[in-house]
Amino acid sequence: MGISSDVIRGCNDTIILCLLLDGPSYGYEISRRIRLMTEDAYIIKETTLYSAFTRLEKAGCIESFPGFAENGKRRTYYRITESGRRYYREKCEEWGLTKTVVERFIREENP
Amino acid sequence: MGISSDVIRGCNDTIILCLLLDGPSYGYEISRRIRLMTEDAYIIKETTLYSAFTRLEKAGCIESFPGFAENGKRRTYYRITESGRRYYREKCEEWGLTKTVVERFIREENP
DNA sequence: GAATGTACTACGACAGCCGAAGTATGTCAA
DNA sequence: TTGACATACTTCGGCTGTCGTAGTACATTC
């Protein structure tokens, strides 16, 4: 049993923006860092990731720009915008609230 | 800013099942109890609630049976099944994991 | 007699996730 | 040198769960 996509659904934007706070990055790297940071507990699907990029860029939270790997291969990099930082902060607040709410309905002892 | 439906999406089943652990109940009451327990932080939409009932019953997590209000009005009650209890326990575990994962990407200090 | 609360049901739209498949390049071992 | 594997994506279409809108029906309260 892993993490259901329905639970993580509202958090993918938060996760991606969080990683972009450390500086520009690109799809494959973001995906790798999520795997590493969660010890494989969460492996984001490629389609989910790239569609999130599109959505976040349309919303003005991130900006794309072309870049190159060491070997000269093209890559699409993304950087977080000021509005993206604001959105991230809001999402963190929302998470705090959500956590409080949900935990009222979690019973660890003999349910 | 409240709770986004995308974040709560994977938790509605958990919330409903949790309330049914206390004994059989029906739509309107479940809805009221969620509002009360969260101090209006989360108000589940009627359509969301009733479609969750249908889904959970199809999945064998709950069972419906007819009942009556004090004034004789018909109501549809739901009770949790053994399989529903198991599912609830799994969901609680999943929540623990999800929380750990998501919080790696939450930065409270100057993001 | 009008508004409000209770207790639902039906329908259809929409967002986001995801499987399947494809493309194109580079690396490395047998 | 060929074939597997990693990198770095894109396109398409299906599915699930949420939600707006609307409607029904009865009871209570002002």
Side-chain angles (χ1 to χ4, degrees), chain B residues 48-62:
Chain B
T48 302
L49 178 60
Y50 291 110
S51 71
F53 279 147
T54 311
R55 185 169 11 95
L56 287 168
E57 184 161 31
K58 268 186 197 148
C61 293
I62 61 175

Side-chain angles (χ1 to χ4, degrees), chain A residues 1-11 14-16 18-19 21-22 33-34 36-39 41-42 85 88-95 97-99 101-108 110-111, chain B residues 1-11 14-16 18-19 21-22 33-34 36-39 41-42 85 88-95 97-99 101-108 110-111:
Chain A
M1 199 257 309
I3 290 181
S4 95
S5 58
D6 277 331
V7 184
I8 211 77
R9 193 184 244 244
C11 301
T14 317
I15 291 173
I16 293 165
C18 174
L19 292 174
L21 286 174
D22 298 330
R33 285 174 68 197
I34 294 174
L36 284 171
M37 284 176 72
T38 65
E39 282 127 56
Y42 183 44
R85 279 168 202 275
Y88 174 74
R89 268 179 245 124
E90 277 170 39
K91 277 288 178 182
C92 286
E93 264 186 70
E94 189 195 298
W95 168 255
L97 183 59
T98 306
K99 205 176 52 165
V101 163
V102 172
E103 294 198 330
R104 303 247 166 125
F105 303 94
I106 299 292
R107 299 184 194 176
E108 306 291 3
N110 58 311
Chain B
M1 198 257 310
I3 290 182
S4 95
S5 57
D6 277 331
V7 185
I8 211 77
R9 192 185 244 246
C11 301
T14 317
I15 292 172
I16 293 165
C18 174
L19 293 174
L21 286 175
D22 298 331
R33 286 174 68 196
I34 294 174
L36 284 172
M37 284 177 71
T38 65
E39 281 127 58
Y42 182 45
R85 279 169 204 274
Y88 174 74
R89 268 179 244 124
E90 279 171 36
K91 278 288 181 182
C92 286
E93 265 187 66
E94 188 196 300
W95 168 256
L97 183 59
T98 306
K99 205 175 55 165
V101 163
V102 172
E103 294 197 331
R104 302 248 167 125
F105 303 95
I106 299 292
R107 301 186 192 174
E108 305 292 2
N110 58 310

Side-chain angles (χ1 to χ4, degrees), chain A residues 75-88:
Chain A
R75 270 181 199 151
T76 306
Y77 279 86
Y78 294 92
R79 79 165 66 85
I80 191 167
T81 63
E82 201 41 58
S83 143
R85 279 168 202 275
R86 263 200 310 279
Y87 183 61
Y88 174 74

